[in-house]
Amino acid sequence: MAGIDYTERIPNNVNLSENRRLQRALEEWQPRFLEWWKDMGPDGFQAKEAYLRTAVSVDAQGWAKFDYLRMPEYRWGIFLAEPEPGRVIGFGDHKGKPAWPDVPGEYRGVLRRLIVTQGDTEPASVEQQRHLGRTCPSLYDLRNLFQVNVEEGRHLWAMVYLLDAHFGRDGREESEALLQRRSGDRDKPRILGAFNERTPDWLSYYMFCFFTDRDGKYQLASLAESGFDPLSRTCRFMLTEEAHHMFVGETGVGRIVQRTCELMREHKSDDVRKFGGIDLATIQRYINFHCSVSLDLFGSEVSTNAANFYTMGLKGRFEETKKPDDHQLKEATYPVVELDGDRITTREEPALVSLNERLRDDYVADCVRGLTRWNETIKRHGIDVELALPHRGFHRAIGSFAEAKVSPDGRVISEAEWDARRRDWLPTEEDQAFVQSLMRPVVEPGKFACWIAPPSRGINGKPVDFEYVRLG
Ligand code: BYC
């Protein structure tokens, strides 16, 4: 097990003290990160103590410790999963060669771009969520928000470490730029679309954790296959923390659905708004929005970038090493759902250029599993409604469907039909205003806002009514 030396300024398991140049670069970046955190991190709670977990080792058993701390005192550090002795590149043109401990010169630009794109999402999500604390539905939820936020901060550190350690001056410039861009800023926006959207309320937040963080899971899993070993090891450890973010999203939406169903049963009505709940139709519209902007994060269905990332050995498929094929895919094909005039068809495309779509398929299957659990809750209450994922062509801004209007059930439709129906399919201003009207803080331990059910258990064996954040 690789313990982390907490006496160092930057906790790490990468022998930072032996690399003075890198240590100095990171020590110079650290105060600027903290400045960014104070400006753009959770608004109004920097001096409050929260019951947070901190990574203290990369050991599968007991890698984290839980304690009260103020967020600016969180020990953001650099942790890489243990090296796998003799690891070889698992796919692409370099398959079977030893994994690279350093950046291969010819792929420097591409690799830097991938790392910067990944890194950019992490601070973006913290910026998007910075005002949510003020309207938390409970101390339990507030604590989970802060946990996710500090860990996104750590994931930024993880990418900055790679940039500073392996990309020299360009890397340091990119590290700086990661603190300069701002979510939603017209002049210096974050790189990917979904990270410039607003997260103004907790329904949006839980949808974001379910759909958008899940893109993170799939992208990180693909980068964890990378032939560039430091990236692979970094992403493998990030995935350990990411699991909690998925949990927050799935249980967050699940608890809202649960509460809605309770209110529907109690009042024998679909219209639970007047009883302070969020109706299933509104929840469906939020699903449609967050799912579609997250589907865009996988890029175009047919992408030469994706083929190049793979052939170069930089980004693999989800669970690449478990797949029983040649891991080069030069002859293989893959069925891709595409727009063909005013029809949607499935065509066999070369597998290499279809890798974004393949990852999107893995992602959709994972989303369906969560959705099924929400639907089981609805069914258990004897309610005859099913939540559904929108068709992958619905409301897309990237890829072939960006050119068309597609209904949630997968019909190519006219602009006129789109305009007439869009209010049924995507959150309206009234929906947003209604959801916003429910956002009133509940901060008494063990109490929950009326629109969300309590969780089935607390964090780290603590009771649900534990004081997860000390606001006093
Ligand atoms: N918005 O061939 P294309 C996470 C750009 S989330 C704006 O279609 P490609 C997290 C693309 O960059 C995971 N631009 O796609 C979650 C390219 O531009 P350039 C983040 C977009 O390149 C929650 C052009 O369009 N990690 O961790 O095959 C909280 C043509 O690209 C978008 C990664 O994304 C978009 N949606 O794939 C916290 C992994 N989509 O290069 C954290 C690293 C595409 O021509 N990134 N474009 O200027 C990648 O693997 C790839 O860059 C993408 C795009 C999968 C994003």
Side-chain angles (χ1 to χ4, degrees), residues 230-366:
L231 175 61
S232 164
R233 290 174 55 202
T234 302
C235 291
R236 268 185 271 150
F237 187 63
M238 288 163 78
L239 282 164
T240 315
E241 291 160 316
E242 202 68 23
H244 175 67
H245 308 188
M246 308 284 96
F247 164 85
V248 169
E250 187 183 324
T251 56
V253 178
R255 288 163 50 214
I256 297 174
V257 169
Q258 159 98 20
R259 183 67 188 135
T260 300
C261 293
E262 287 166 6
L263 289 168
M264 286 171 78
R265 281 282 297 268
E266 188 181 328
H267 298 283
K268 300 198 173 29
S269 166
D270 293 353
D271 180 14
V272 293
R273 284 192 180 196
K274 52 182 177 286
F275 309 110
I278 305 177
D279 50 296
L280 291 177
T282 302
I283 293 174
Q284 179 65 61
R285 286 192 284 276
Y286 275 70
I287 290 174
N288 292 348
F289 176 78
H290 287 272
C291 183
S292 57
V293 297
S294 302
L295 287 174
D296 273 342
L297 292 172
F298 290 84
S300 305
E301 294 80 9
V302 173
S303 164
T304 48
N305 283 353
N308 291 337
F309 299 156
Y310 188 85
T311 307
M312 292 169 178
L314 304 179
K315 182 180 175 190
R317 287 170 293 177
F318 182 65
E319 300 190 327
E320 178 71 45
T321 39
K322 293 190 190 159
K323 299 207 187 296
D325 57 25
D326 71 354
H327 303 277
Q328 291 193 312
L329 307 179
K330 296 215 192 280
E331 309 299 328
T333 61
Y334 189 79
V336 176
V337 180
E338 285 171 332
L339 188 67
D340 180 10
D342 58 2
R343 286 183 334 122
I344 293 174
T345 53
T346 303
R347 240 199 337 246
E348 287 292 323
E349 295 281 359
L352 275 176
V353 291
S354 311
L355 288 166
N356 286 342
E357 189 65 1
R358 188 172 194 141
L359 193 61
R360 195 168 8 242
D361 284 342
D362 292 328
Y363 167 84
V364 169
D366 200 22

Side-chain angles (χ1 to χ4, degrees), residues 21 25 29 163-164 167-177:
R21 191 198 57 74
W29 187 81
L163 290 168
D164 281 11
F167 293 86
R169 195 176 156 167
D170 305 355
R172 288 195 294 281
E173 284 172 10
E174 295 284 12
S175 299
E176 203 47 48

Side-chain angles (χ1 to χ4, degrees), residues 114 118 121-122 152 193 212 215-216 296 300 303 305 315 356:
L114 277 173
Q118 177 62 50
T121 63
E122 317 288 1
E152 301 301 7
T212 308
D215 168 52
D296 273 342
S300 305
S303 164
N305 283 353
K315 182 180 175 190
N356 286 342

Side-chain angles (χ1 to χ4, degrees), residues 67-247:
D67 211 346
Y68 281 109
L69 52 105
R70 295 182 183 87
M71 283 180 279
E73 291 159 8
Y74 186 83
R75 304 300 306 270
W76 285 285
I78 299 159
F79 316 126
L80 271 59
E82 290 292 299
E84 277 174 31
R87 177 167 181 259
V88 292
I89 299 168
F91 57 93
D93 284 354
H94 305 282
K95 192 182 107 181
K97 304 247 174 68
W100 300 298
D102 298 303
V103 176
E106 69 271 38
Y107 301 151
R108 196 183 157 82
V110 183
L111 199 46
R112 191 183 64 205
R113 176 83 181 153
L114 277 173
I115 293 170
V116 166
T117 306
Q118 177 62 50
D120 191 69
T121 63
E122 317 288 1
S125 67
V126 175
E127 292 166 359
Q128 289 170 296
Q129 296 162 16
R130 68 183 299 256
H131 297 298
L132 289 172
R134 294 189 181 283
T135 56
C136 65
S138 74
L139 288 185
Y140 165 91
D141 291 280
L142 186 62
R143 177 260 168 217
N144 281 348
L145 168 72
F146 293 162
Q147 184 69 58
V148 170
N149 289 163
V150 291
E151 285 174 352
E152 301 301 7
R154 205 199 68 70
H155 292 179
L156 170 61
W157 270 91
M159 292 301 124
V160 163
Y161 161 73
L162 293 175
L163 290 168
D164 281 11
H166 294 280
F167 293 86
R169 195 176 156 167
D170 305 355
R172 288 195 294 281
E173 284 172 10
E174 295 284 12
S175 299
E176 203 47 48
L178 284 166
L179 296 176
Q180 301 303 326
R181 285 185 289 273
R182 289 284 179 273
S183 173
D185 188 306
R186 205 143 38 108
D187 300 325
K188 43 182 175 113
R190 291 295 173 182
I191 297 170
L192 299 174
F195 294 90
N196 289 302
E197 300 287 347
R198 294 174 62 243
T199 311
D201 57 69
W202 284 76
L203 177 59
S204 304
Y205 171 64
Y206 285 129
M207 292 288 175
F208 182 96
C209 290
F210 184 85
F211 287 109
T212 308
D213 272 280
R214 194 173 307 275
D215 168 52
K217 168 181 162 185
Y218 280 83
Q219 298 294 346
L220 288 174
S222 305
L223 294 173
E225 302 287 343
S226 184
F228 176 46
D229 205 42
L231 175 61
S232 164
R233 290 174 55 202
T234 302
C235 291
R236 268 185 271 150
F237 187 63
M238 288 163 78
L239 282 164
T240 315
E241 291 160 316
E242 202 68 23
H244 175 67
H245 308 188
M246 308 284 96
F247 164 85

